[in-house]
Every structure is written in C-alpha cells, then in structure tokens.
Amino acid sequence: MNVLIIEDEKPAARRLSRLLLELEIEVSTMLHSVEESLAWFQENPHPDLIFLDIQLSDGLSFEIFDEIEVKSAIIFTTAYDEYALQAFKLNSIDYLLKPIDEEELESAVKKYQNFKPENRKIPIDFNDIKKLLVNPLEREYKKRFTARVGQHLKIINADEVECFYSENKGTYAATSDGRNYLLDTTLEQLEEELEPQTFFRVSRKFYVNINHIGDIISYTNSRLQIKLNRFDEHEVIVSRERVRDFKLWLE
C-alpha cells in the first residue's frame, strides 16, 4: 500500500507514521504544507491512501484539490470537531479526531482495506465541506443537562459547568458551586452537543469552559495546565497534540 501523510505538525506526522508502522503499513512520504503538496503531486503518482490534515500552515488542505484531481482514498485527521464531523458524515468520508487513537486508526485502515474501490476515484465535494468549515451552519446547542441526585433530577445549566470529565467509565459535570454530577452521557456524545466557542476538549478526559478558566500555566513536554475557578480534584492538562488548536480557540 502506498501511503502519504499531509500534516503540518511534524511531531504529529511522525507519530502517525509510527502508529501505521505498527500496523505493518509503511508511509512513503510526509508533506507539511499546501505549497509542498502541490509540487509533489505534479511530480509523483497518486498514492493509494492519503492521511490528510485539514488546517495546514499555509491554508486549508482542500486548496490542494482546487488544482489536483483526487485519485486517492482519503482519511482526514482533524482537530475540528463539530462542523467537520457533520461534513464528513454527509460525504461518507472517514476521519480521525486528534490526538489519534490507535484503535480508531486501525479501524479506519481496515475500513479502507475492505472497501478499496477499483477505480479509486473518490466522489468528494471539497467545496461543500469547505463551506461547512469556513462558514458553519448555525445550530442550537444544549443549554441544560440533568443529573440524578438520589430520587431527584438536578437541572444543570451549561454556563455553570466549569468542565466535563470522564472517570471510571462515567462522565461528570463539575459546576461553579464546587459540585460534581454524574451524567448519563459520554464525552463523545457531548462533542455534538456543546457550543464549540465555549467548550473545548483539551484531552481525552476533559472538556473545559472558557468562561471558568482562571489561569493557564506552561507544563512539561510542551503541554499546558489549566486552573479552573473551583475545580481542583484533578490536574487539567492540555495534551501536546491539542495545544496549538487550544491557543487558537482562546483567540
């Protein structure tokens, strides 16, 4: 299998290459920008499979395909959550949400290997996806959640939640009054329900509310530590793979 990675974060590209090697898939080439990719495609045959980051250092990766006809299967790697996932589902394209999980990567590769279209011409409307990313459709997000407290149901307003976090296979809402409530949901389900300008998934364990961040501190291995106003039961760490997108989200 001839595999190409297009990813502007070189550590992320190297990590993805290592994960693929564990699946006995060797990456032939790694590219890091729109400009570099355009030059490469003009001189080389198209690979069987492309792992494609959406946001590159010099623009959206879709710009590559404004000039190049896609002749490869594509698996998107993305730090976008809500709107991108809607677009991918509509276009039946596979995607991996960063930081990439080993099991999800293996599943995506197996899906490609089982599908493998003969003509390999993938009907992707990049313009439609780009519109969803650049000018997202307005939608309603959850403003309230409920949690069972004894025989009662507690109503929790989203703006009162400092963070959502997972622990021991449960998902909790930590509120500004210092309480933690067990919810009947998962962090994955919350991805489709939380306002992305207010909540950001800083790691596989935590979603934080920008309005309750008290301090942000440099941490080991190029990570960041978040101090929330009340929540202090666990360290809230921005994973290294999400630091850049977290900083962009803060702006």
Side-chain angles (χ1 to χ4, degrees):
M1 186 192 307
N2 188 8
V3 175
L4 168 67
I5 293 175
I6 303 178
E7 161 69 68
D8 67 332
E9 294 184 9
K10 293 183 180 180
R14 289 193 294 267
R15 177 177 182 270
L16 176 55
S17 180
R18 287 196 300 271
L19 293 177
L20 287 169
L21 196 58
E22 292 175 6
L23 300 176
E24 299 183 348
I25 296 172
E26 189 168 352
V27 175
S28 58
T29 306
M30 290 188 285
L31 305 173
H32 307 293
S33 68
V34 172
E35 182 180 1
E36 184 182 12
S37 300
L38 285 172
W40 187 90
F41 276 108
Q42 290 169 1
E43 300 292 334
N44 296 274
H46 289 222
D48 299 306
L49 178 62
I50 301 172
F51 286 88
L52 181 68
D53 187 16
I54 290 179
Q55 183 69 59
L56 301 176
S57 58
D58 56 348
L60 290 175
S61 58
F62 302 140
E63 296 172 22
I64 298 167
F65 305 106
D66 289 339
E67 300 185 34
I68 303 293
E69 182 183 0
V70 181
K71 295 181 181 177
S72 308
I74 293 176
I75 297 176
F76 283 101
T77 61
T78 178
Y80 286 92
D81 48 15
E82 186 58 41
Y83 301 116
L85 303 195
Q86 289 181 36
F88 298 153
K89 289 171 185 175
L90 289 172
N91 287 269
S92 300
I93 304 167
D94 212 344
Y95 63 88
L96 295 168
L97 191 62
K98 294 181 181 179
I100 293 173
D101 177 80
E102 291 90 338
E103 292 183 2
E104 292 174 359
L105 174 62
E106 183 176 7
S107 176
V109 169
K110 285 181 178 178
K111 180 178 176 181
Y112 161 75
Q113 291 172 330
N114 291 333
F115 176 59
K116 255 188 185 174
E118 289 299 324
N119 61 9
R120 291 175 34 220
K121 184 175 180 180
I122 311 300
I124 302 173
D125 192 331
F126 287 102
N127 286 328
D128 282 353
I129 301 177
K130 188 175 179 179
K131 287 176 185 175
L132 282 177
L133 292 172
V134 178
N135 298 302
L137 299 175
E138 291 186 4
R139 56 162 295 173
E140 289 292 322
Y141 294 94
K142 288 195 72 168
K143 295 181 173 61
R144 290 179 297 278
F145 298 85
T146 57
R148 185 173 295 278
V149 181
Q151 299 300 312
H152 303 270
L153 282 180
K154 167 72 174 178
I155 298 173
I156 305 167
N157 292 322
D159 58 6
E160 298 172 353
V161 177
E162 291 198 344
C163 69
F164 294 95
Y165 67 98
S166 61
E167 185 177 46
N168 298 325
K169 298 184 179 181
T171 300
Y172 295 82
T175 57
S176 55
D177 62 358
R179 301 285 301 276
N180 298 315
Y181 297 95
L182 178 63
L183 304 179
D184 185 20
T185 188
T186 65
L187 291 186
E188 285 67 32
Q189 289 172 320
L190 288 174
E191 286 180 4
E192 299 186 2
E193 299 174 341
L194 296 175
E195 164 58 59
Q197 292 183 334
T198 304
F199 289 92
F200 186 88
R201 191 169 185 176
V202 298
S203 66
R204 292 206 167 272
K205 185 174 180 178
F206 283 98
Y207 260 106
V208 299
N209 185 333
I210 193 170
N211 298 311
H212 293 280
I213 294 176
D215 197 6
I216 303 171
I217 306 167
S218 295
Y219 201 70
T220 58
N221 295 325
S222 302
R223 295 175 295 171
L224 297 172
Q225 181 178 17
I226 296 174
K227 296 290 188 180
L228 298 168
N229 293 329
R230 288 291 300 270
F231 182 81
D232 59 3
E233 294 189 20
H234 304 280
E235 285 188 331
V236 182
I237 307 298
V238 183
S239 63
R240 186 169 57 182
E241 295 87 351
R242 298 192 176 182
V243 166
R244 186 187 69 162
D245 296 294
F246 174 70
K247 289 179 178 178
L248 291 173
W249 174 73
L250 291 175
E251 298 174 359

